[in-house]
Amino acid sequence: MEALGQIDAWPVARAAVGVARAGAIVAVRGAVNERFPWASVTKPVTALAVLVAAEEGILELDEAAGPPGSTVRHLLAHASGLPFEGERPIGRPGERRIYSNTGFAVLGTLLAERAEMPFADYVHAAVSEPLGLEAVLRGDPGSGLEGTLADLLAVGRQLLAPAVVAAETLAEATSVQFPGLDGVLPGFGRQSPNDWGLGFELRDAKRPHWTGSRNSPRTFGHFGQTGAFLWVDPEAGLACACLADRDFGDWAREAWPAFSDAVLAEAAAL
């Protein structure tokens, strides 16, 4: 896939990129065997673990969790009122879309208590082992995963054809939760609305955005401060992943959308 060659011109020392369909990996390029930190791309994996727990009856999406008036659903959808960092709410639940690392830490603590095991162990049993991931969660449920491109593409393929959760559960998780909420998409400014699912950022009609102009509005995924991203476009039937050794910044805001558009254009012609 020639589009993957764009990474050779990126201002990074090492990167790995790949494209997959539900049934197979299409192409990879770069440091594909190297383990990279995923930063906030950890959140979709944590979300999958919470969804498994909900299906198992360990917790419920609409039970109270976090600040008064907040639920597990609010926490997953960045609508609990908790700030980016810190335990003191800066808004009422369901009022604004406030991206919160703390919200995912609360989820990790809750799930560990309910499952009566360390959160990392539950993630391993519920997600990593079934998907054959070698990625390791160290610390924060919102940012602690480290793994290879193969690990990240395995997550992408799971999100194209779910097996660890029911298709109906994933459909709910990738649909807008608390519609109409405005908020700031980190790195890209205020979005109105700033739509999110349950742990997954939804592309919808957001401008500007880290995915490409060819990505369908149904595209969902996440990017991380460490230069990582994963998007899944159900209409194209593709998952695209990136890991890099340079933090997100202007280089990524410029490179990632162009890269995504090239991938989608080439895939459509195959």
Side-chain angles (χ1 to χ4, degrees):
M1 198 172 200
E2 293 183 4
L4 303 193
Q6 287 191 15
I7 70 166
D8 298 341
W10 288 1
V12 300
R14 298 183 309 283
V17 292
V19 178
R21 298 194 184 276
I25 292 175
V26 176
V28 297
R29 189 179 183 98
V32 298
N33 296 317
E34 184 169 342
R35 190 186 298 268
F36 291 86
W38 292 10
S40 285
V41 184
T42 301
K43 289 181 173 72
V45 177
T46 287
L48 278 174
V50 173
L51 294 173
V52 171
E55 289 190 341
E56 292 180 341
I58 293 173
L59 50 71
E60 296 181 4
L61 293 177
D62 293 313
E63 70 173 79
S70 173
T71 65
V72 170
R73 188 183 301 274
H74 284 96
L75 293 168
L76 283 169
H78 298 288
S80 70
L82 287 171
F84 180 73
E85 299 285 358
E87 297 180 359
R88 184 174 181 176
I90 58 175
R92 294 190 297 271
E95 182 179 64
R96 285 186 291 155
R97 196 79 66 185
I98 304 170
Y99 184 82
S100 178
N101 284 334
T102 300
F104 274 72
V106 172
L107 287 168
T109 299
L110 174 65
L111 183 49
E113 291 174 352
R114 293 293 181 80
E116 300 182 338
M117 66 173 67
F119 179 73
D121 290 352
Y122 189 85
V123 171
H124 179 78
V127 181
S128 299
E129 189 171 35
L131 299 189
L133 307 186
E134 296 182 359
V136 177
L137 178 62
R138 294 187 173 91
D140 197 299
S143 62
L145 272 172
E146 296 181 358
T148 64
L149 180 69
D151 291 326
L152 194 49
L153 287 174
V155 175
R157 292 173 64 192
Q158 173 66 197
L159 296 173
L160 283 167
V164 299
V165 295
E168 295 81 4
T169 299
L170 183 62
E172 180 180 4
T174 56
S175 63
V176 181
Q177 304 293 308
F178 309 104
L181 298 189
D182 296 343
V184 173
L185 178 61
F188 291 90
R190 180 163 293 279
Q191 306 282 338
S192 181
N194 186 17
D195 288 339
W196 283 74
L198 298 174
F200 302 98
E201 196 239 317
L202 310 181
R203 194 198 192 291
D204 286 349
K206 291 173 182 169
R207 298 286 190 280
H209 200 255
W210 53 277
T211 63
S213 61
R214 287 179 174 267
N215 281 92
S216 77
R218 292 180 60 206
T219 300
F220 62 90
H222 218 295
F223 79 88
Q225 185 59 35
T226 53
F229 75 69
L230 173 67
W231 59 249
V232 175
D233 189 333
E235 292 191 8
L238 288 179
C240 183
C242 168
L243 295 167
D245 67 351
R246 181 175 180 180
D247 284 354
F248 171 84
D250 288 343
W251 74 271
R253 274 186 284 267
E254 179 180 350
W256 289 354
F259 175 75
S260 297
D261 280 341
V263 165
L264 285 163
E266 188 171 349
L270 292 177

